[in-house]
């Protein structure tokens, strides 16, 4: 079949994987603020092979849709791709089937340029995406988070963000100053201090919104993507951010307690081989309070 590789990204991905012909090449989505794009390729060979390519080529000037175009924001984004690379190279293989992530097939890194070639999760059975989710789907995502947090309990975030999450206070001075509600603005440092002082820490996904989960169309365990803000912290950061991303505020008020019970039930099951009953009870009490 004819090689369709008209694009440098397609050519580079093909080269990293052995030079097979590119049979299909399409844009999936642009990256935030004009920092690159995600593509789907199908490579030739003995059998057509679909892959997903994340190409990061930062612009000289960020195009943030809300105007956060500071040098601090730019440097944070650059570091985030280095963190994502470190995650896939040194940690991702430990996630296992219960906290499924895409396999990294190849990667290249130069000064301020990154290329990641992943397995295609759509082809692996995780083709559904959601902005709002059914209760069973929410529980499946919470189970993913529980497994992830249990796996990395006590893990030092070497090569990752020392404090994980996209909305980390120390990296968001511009956004903090822009908060109009003075009570919330004044409370933010105290909230951050309580979270940072927790005894039981793990690795957090850092951007665990529903859009970053890939679901099987017929239900079952899920997979997650986008590890630019993975780092150390309290697992409740992921849980709170996830639930707020897929539930309306009124529904969250009504159902948060039940979903927390679901999460901690899964966390106990996943963490039991590593922690004794007393430590598990202490962890749950601390995290529930946060």
């Amino acid at each position: 079949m004819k090689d369709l590789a008209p694009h440098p990204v397609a050519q580079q991905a093909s080269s990293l994987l052995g030079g097979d012909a590119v049979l299909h090449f399409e844009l999936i989505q642009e990256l935030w603020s004009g920092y690159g794009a995600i593509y789907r390729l199908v490579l030739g060979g003995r059998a057509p092979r679909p892959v997903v390519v994340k190409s990061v080529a930062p612009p000289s000037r960020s195009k943030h849709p809300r105007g956060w175009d500071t040098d601090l924001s730019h440097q944070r984004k650059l570091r985030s791709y280095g963190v994502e690379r470190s995650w896939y190279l040194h940690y991702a293989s430990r996630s296992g089937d219960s906290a499924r992530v895409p396999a990294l097939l190849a990667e290249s890194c130069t000064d301020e340029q990154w290329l990641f070639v992943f397995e295609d999760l759509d082809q692996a059975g995780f083709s559904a995406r959601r902005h709002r989710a059914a209760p069973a789907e929410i529980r499946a995502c919470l189970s993913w988070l529980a497994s992830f947090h249990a796996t990395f309990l006590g893990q030092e975030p070497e090569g990752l963000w020392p404090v994980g999450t996209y909305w980390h206070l120390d990296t968001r001075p511009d956004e903090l100053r822009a908060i109009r509600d003075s009570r919330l603005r004044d409370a933010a440092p105290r909230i951050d201090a309580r979270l940072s002082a927790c005894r039981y820490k793990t690795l957090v996904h850092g951007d665990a919104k529903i859009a970053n989960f890939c679901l099987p169309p017929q239900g079952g365990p899920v997979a997650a993507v986008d590890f630019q803000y993975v780092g150390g912290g309290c697992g409740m950061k992921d849980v709170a951010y996830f639930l707020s991303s897929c539930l309306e505020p009124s529904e969250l008020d009504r159902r948060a307690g039940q979903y927390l019970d679901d999460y901690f039930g899964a966390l106990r099951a996943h963490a039991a081989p590593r922690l004794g009953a007393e430590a598990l009870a202490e962890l749950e009490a601390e995290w529930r309070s946060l």
Side-chain angles (χ1 to χ4, degrees), residues 217-240:
Q218 304 306 319
V222 304
V225 297
D226 199 353
F227 288 87
Q228 290 172 230
Y229 292 92
V230 61
C234 170
M236 288 294 94
K237 290 184 175 184
D238 277 341
V239 173

Side-chain angles (χ1 to χ4, degrees), residues 10-216:
Q11 294 174 345
Q12 189 175 3
S14 172
S15 177
L16 287 171
L17 293 178
D20 287 333
V22 177
L23 308 181
H24 177 80
F25 180 72
E26 65 174 307
L27 173 69
I28 297 177
Q29 68 181 63
E30 302 283 347
L31 295 180
W32 190 249
S33 303
Y35 276 65
I38 299 175
Y39 303 93
R40 176 171 287 108
L41 280 69
V42 177
L43 299 174
R46 292 184 178 179
R49 179 170 41 155
V51 298
V52 170
V53 180
K54 185 173 185 176
S55 173
V56 183
S60 57
R61 178 68 175 172
S62 174
K63 302 175 183 177
H64 196 292
R66 296 180 182 171
W68 307 117
D69 292 322
T70 63
D71 184 62
L72 178 63
S73 174
H74 177 66
Q75 293 302 321
R76 181 175 64 241
K77 289 186 183 72
L78 295 185
R79 185 179 178 190
S80 77
Y81 293 111
V83 164
E84 185 167 37
R85 179 174 183 263
S86 181
W87 154 259
Y88 276 107
L89 290 178
H90 304 297
Y91 297 91
S93 63
R94 294 169 52 190
S95 289
D97 291 340
S98 56
R100 183 75 151 78
V101 302
L104 178 67
L105 305 178
E107 58 87 24
S108 67
C109 176
T110 61
D111 290 343
E112 297 191 354
Q113 291 188 340
W114 296 264
L115 192 81
F116 304 93
V117 184
F118 298 111
E119 70 168 316
D120 187 342
L121 285 176
D122 281 10
Q123 296 297 315
F126 302 94
S127 59
R129 308 291 185 271
R130 300 283 187 264
H131 293 291
R132 289 289 182 264
E137 294 172 330
I138 291 174
R139 287 191 289 270
C141 294
L142 290 171
S143 180
W144 187 101
L145 288 173
S147 175
F148 184 86
H149 295 154
T151 296
F152 295 104
L153 276 173
Q155 173 69 53
E156 290 295 325
E158 297 180 11
L160 309 176
W161 293 101
V163 179
T165 71
Y166 183 77
W167 293 106
H168 168 38
L169 188 64
D170 283 351
T171 64
R172 300 287 170 174
D174 301 324
E175 291 88 338
L176 179 62
R177 285 191 294 269
I179 293 176
R180 295 182 179 180
D181 186 326
S182 61
R183 293 174 301 170
L184 180 57
R185 188 174 60 246
D186 293 343
R190 298 194 296 275
I191 295 170
D192 181 70
R194 281 200 62 190
L195 288 166
S196 297
C198 75
R199 175 185 174 190
Y200 288 97
K201 291 185 172 67
T202 184
L203 294 186
V204 294
H205 176 285
D207 196 11
K209 57 192 176 188
I210 185 64
N212 282 333
F213 285 91
C214 306
L215 290 73

